[in-house]
Amino acid sequence: QQQVKQSPQSLIVQKGGISIINCAYENTAFDYFPWYQQFPGKGPALLIAIRPDVSEKKEGRFTISFNKSAKQFSLHIMDSQPGDSATYFCAASLSGGYQKVTFGTGTKLQVIP
Amino acid sequence: SQTIHQWPATLVQPVGSPLSLECTVEGTSNPNLYWYRQAAGRGLQLLFYSVGIGQISSEVPQNLSASRPQDRQFILSSKKLLLSDSGFYLCAWSVQGKSYEQYFGPGTRLTVT
């Protein structure tokens, strides 16, 4: 009920291409869906987040698409760059009081020149 | 602006030795604080969280413990390390009431030999 399933586990994309990472959740009560970016040897950094009342949120080259009926959300990285090479984690949480954040297992993205 | 510090950055300890990892947050007051462990190439496992001084909740039973002696200080300890305690330890903070939006520190790489 609390799981967030993330795919693919790893992804290789050519520079300039679109990187797509998918996540699926089970708990329909989740109402906050963040994405984190983690470079090797560093802590994860909050990248972008979405609430289920919108179907899409865009920040620069990063876009979250949200499908409430399918209980799925995805991260799209447009015009992928070598500097985007990192591990990306999706997550889901409730937003009232203290709530545990449920993380996906991560996707290692490599953008090749 | 808020800043989170962790030290040491790396640590190599023999089995059976004690452990003390420290995390401090600057630029905010009364934050929620979290300890996570990340095994190599794996996701994030929540170990402990704290909503205030002296208030610690454990997510996973193990030989680790946490303490919060001051508002913005969070310490992870062990009396006797096991090989399985090796990993990347991450401290995170969030604003009270916004536990769904967490900000991570740089991490401590612990190797138990």
Side-chain angles (χ1 to χ4, degrees), chain B residues 18-68:
Chain B
L19 173 73
S20 181
L21 304 181
E22 189 165 344
C23 169
T24 59
V25 181
E26 295 176 356
T28 187
S29 59
N30 198 27
N32 284 348
L33 295 171
Y34 311 85
W35 279 113
Y36 287 85
R37 177 169 58 204
Q38 186 175 29
R42 303 290 296 278
L44 298 161
Q45 180 186 34
L46 179 64
L47 302 175
F48 301 94
Y49 69 90
S50 172
V51 299
I53 296 174
Q55 300 178 63
I56 309 295
S57 296
S58 173
E59 286 288 312
V60 182
Q62 57 213 319
N63 69 322
L64 298 172
S65 62
S67 62
R68 184 171 176 174

Side-chain angles (χ1 to χ4, degrees), chain A residues 30-51:
Chain A
F30 285 146
D31 62 356
Y32 185 81
F33 301 87
W35 284 88
Y36 287 83
Q37 178 189 55
Q38 183 179 29
F39 293 106
K42 307 294 183 183
L46 183 60
L47 185 63
I48 186 173
I50 196 169
R51 292 191 179 273

Side-chain angles (χ1 to χ4, degrees), chain A residues 4-6 22-24 34-36 73 88-92 102-104 106:
Chain A
V4 175
K5 296 181 180 179
Q6 184 172 347
N22 301 300
C23 286
W35 284 88
Y36 287 83
F73 58 109
Y88 292 82
F89 293 93
C90 63
T102 300
F103 288 90

Side-chain angles (χ1 to χ4, degrees), chain A residues 52-91:
Chain A
D53 53 347
V54 297
S55 60
E56 186 175 281
K57 183 174 182 180
K58 185 176 181 179
E59 289 186 4
R61 295 184 293 107
F62 299 88
T63 300
I64 300 178
S65 297
F66 189 85
N67 186 330
K68 189 173 181 179
S69 60
K71 294 187 287 185
Q72 295 176 347
F73 58 109
S74 59
L75 177 69
H76 292 66
I77 306 175
M78 313 301 288
D79 187 27
S80 298
Q81 300 296 313
D84 297 330
S85 298
T87 299
Y88 292 82
F89 293 93
C90 63

